[in-house]
Amino acid sequence: MNKMPLLLKREYWEHRGGFLWTPVWISGVILILTVLGMITAEVFRSHVQVQMGFSLDSLRNSIGAKDFAEAGNGLDMTQLMFGAITCVGLFFVLFFYLLGALYDDRRDRSVLFWKSLPVTDGSTVASKALAAMLLAPLIAFVVSTLAYLVFLVLVSLWTAMHGLNVLPAIVASHPFGMAWRLLLTIPVDALWALPAVGWLLFWSAYARSKPFLWAVLVPVIALFANWWVGVLGGPRIGGDLHLASILGRLLFSVMPGSWLSTPGAVFGVHHASLGLDDEHVVGSLDPANVYAVLATANLWIGVVAGLLLLAGAIWCRRRRIETSV
């Protein structure tokens, strides 16, 4: 384990394009669209004389404390949007990173070099799992948070041009408190993602070719076979087991925050009755609500399954060095 920091640095060096530059480009596009939106609003206001739903100049004279509080809730949702959009890109990065993490070494035969180093197969697999579960999400969190702070600066400058001070709205939104809440979700995301991490790494270590097809088609075929056997009147997995949800965990739980919509998570249980208002969505990320997921059997069953799959990936890593075209 004393080699783990160096192994994690290796993963970052080899996959910096996905781990770092993907969230940077996503956040950059959001900021560029924000600036273009401001420029468009100014052009319409100055030359076309079209009312854009509200006027900043008139808003300056009528805004009150309640309006600032509502604007703060809107800024909280904007901060969540920065993180959520970045997470979508992170999902695709992690999915294909895990599928190629052990397969690519065998395909280009560099596995022979890595096996010649004083690093165990268990450490190698663990470093790739930790890179996907902690390193990449932490980088994405830092990038999206910095991008949101730049967004606040842009909005502050734009509104200041019209004589409107948005500092009370920013204070009401508690950006650093929201950042702390989002940071605290990363350990829960890591545990929730463990089945998918183990599943994808297992096929990356096992498959002689096309690990993507193995990882995706096996759950799809299992789901179809279960449905077909049920149609024929045979025994099938159903009821409370929810085979589709179980198989979905193997493919999609690397998506940060995917546990929010599951039974047992506070947001997943109550969102239908309370609605998707800003205050409720933000409140669902309270640490007490987030860490309540740790008390659910769903999460820990997945953790056990993920550890077993990682053990299988280590076993395959020790015995497979060949691939086929």
Side-chain angles (χ1 to χ4, degrees), residues 7 11 25 104 135 289 319:
L7 290 174
E11 297 304 317
W25 279 107
D104 290 343
L135 179 61
N289 294 341
R319 289 161 175 79

Side-chain angles (χ1 to χ4, degrees), residues 7-178:
L7 290 174
L8 289 175
K9 287 182 181 179
R10 172 210 167 187
E11 297 304 317
Y12 172 74
W13 292 333
E14 291 189 349
H15 303 279
R16 182 166 51 185
F19 287 1
L20 175 62
W21 290 110
T22 295
V24 166
W25 279 107
I26 291 174
S27 300
V29 168
I30 297 175
L31 292 175
I32 291 172
L33 292 177
T34 300
V35 173
L36 291 178
M38 293 175 180
I39 294 173
T40 302
E42 290 298 317
V43 170
F44 271 85
R45 172 181 174 275
S46 302
H47 301 290
V48 187
Q49 300 297 326
V50 174
Q51 186 64 271
M52 300 297 291
F54 67 92
S55 169
L56 289 176
D57 297 319
S58 61
L59 185 63
R60 179 182 63 245
N61 301 320
S62 61
I63 191 169
K66 182 179 179 181
D67 299 312
F68 278 122
E70 292 179 354
N73 289 333
L75 288 175
D76 284 336
M77 290 298 295
T78 302
Q79 188 170 2
L80 288 178
M81 179 205 70
F82 270 85
I85 296 177
T86 302
C87 285
V88 174
L90 183 63
F91 164 76
F92 290 101
V93 169
L94 294 181
F95 189 92
F96 290 103
Y97 160 73
L98 290 167
L99 278 177
L102 301 174
Y103 176 77
D104 290 343
D105 287 351
R106 292 184 292 127
R107 183 178 59 181
D108 60 19
R109 309 294 287 181
S110 64
V111 65
L112 300 174
F113 167 75
W114 295 112
K115 282 183 173 290
S116 69
L117 299 178
V119 178
T120 65
D121 293 301
S123 296
T124 300
V125 173
S127 68
K128 296 178 183 298
L130 289 174
M133 294 163 58
L134 295 176
L135 179 61
L138 280 171
I139 294 173
F141 163 77
V142 171
V143 171
S144 63
T145 300
L146 292 176
Y148 175 69
L149 294 178
V150 174
F151 169 83
L152 290 181
V153 172
L154 293 174
V155 171
S156 299
L157 293 175
W158 181 51
T159 54
M161 291 171 53
H162 297 270
L164 181 63
N165 179 19
V166 297
L167 184 59
I170 295 175
V171 172
S173 68
H174 303 98
F176 295 105
M178 279 297 302

Side-chain angles (χ1 to χ4, degrees), residues 275-289:
L276 293 176
D277 56 279
D278 298 353
E279 184 177 355
H280 176 62
V281 173
V282 173
S284 68
L285 294 177
D286 284 340
N289 294 341

Side-chain angles (χ1 to χ4, degrees), residues 231-246:
V231 169
L232 297 179
R236 61 188 294 267
I237 300 175
D240 295 334
L241 292 179
H242 301 297
L243 183 61
S245 299
I246 295 172

